Amino acid sequence: MELTEYYKRLRSALQANGFRVFFRQPQPDDELPLVHINVHTDLDVSSKTDTLNQVEQQIDYYAEGSTLPVAVESDIAKVKNALSRVVQWDSLTTQITKDTSTGRDLSRAMFLVTITI
């Protein structure tokens, strides 16, 4: 699978779970919850085929800070479920924080997933 196909499948799986998906930085007035497909890092390029084999991808989930923790946890499970339907990951970590950098009180989950394409 090429990285472009991974992104298309991931967007479809997330949208099927009711998330708005952005490949651009979320704006302060965007409706929440949303998922931001963030930057990736190329980890491994095959010396035989000169193609990308493995990437580390950041995916961010944002919800209003007033969202109940159980709802945030449910959404986090939905994001992980969507990821698992698209590709088998090599590793996945999730960090949950409160974010006020946009001037809004937000709940944020940052997923860092390593996948082999």
Side-chain angles (χ1 to χ4, degrees), residues 11-36:
R11 178 180 54 203
S12 293
L14 289 165
Q15 287 174 333
N17 278 311
F19 293 110
R20 284 168 216 67
V21 179
F22 293 93
F23 289 89
R24 61 160 172 78
Q25 194 68 28
Q27 301 302 304
D29 59 346
D30 283 335
E31 188 178 339
L32 302 176
L34 64 81
V35 174
H36 173 213

Side-chain angles (χ1 to χ4, degrees), residues 1 6 9-19 77-89:
M1 169 181 2
Y6 162 71
R9 289 181 186 181
L10 181 57
R11 178 180 54 203
S12 293
L14 289 165
Q15 287 174 333
N17 278 311
F19 293 110
K78 288 178 187 176
V79 172
K80 288 180 180 179
N81 187 342
L83 280 165
S84 68
R85 286 195 316 262
V86 172
V87 68
Q88 182 175 349
W89 63 73

Side-chain angles (χ1 to χ4, degrees), residues 16-117:
N17 278 311
F19 293 110
R20 284 168 216 67
V21 179
F22 293 93
F23 289 89
R24 61 160 172 78
Q25 194 68 28
Q27 301 302 304
D29 59 346
D30 283 335
E31 188 178 339
L32 302 176
L34 64 81
V35 174
H36 173 213
I37 310 297
N38 209 325
V39 297
H40 77 273
T41 303
D42 298 351
L43 295 178
D44 183 31
V45 175
S46 169
S47 59
K48 292 180 182 179
T49 62
D50 198 33
T51 57
L52 185 61
N53 283 347
Q54 193 176 56
V55 297
E56 186 175 77
Q57 177 75 58
Q58 181 178 331
I59 298 170
D60 297 309
Y61 159 86
Y62 294 95
E64 293 293 348
S66 60
T67 305
L68 293 175
V70 69
V72 171
E73 290 296 332
S74 175
D75 281 352
I76 288 170
K78 288 178 187 176
V79 172
K80 288 180 180 179
N81 187 342
L83 280 165
S84 68
R85 286 195 316 262
V86 172
V87 68
Q88 182 175 349
W89 63 73
D90 301 321
S91 70
L92 174 66
T93 60
T94 308
Q95 181 180 20
I96 303 166
T97 61
K98 292 291 186 180
D99 187 329
T100 59
S101 64
T102 63
R104 290 167 73 178
D105 182 27
L106 303 175
S107 292
R108 176 183 181 201
M110 183 184 76
F111 301 87
L112 195 56
V113 60
T114 302
I115 60 170
T116 300
I117 302 289

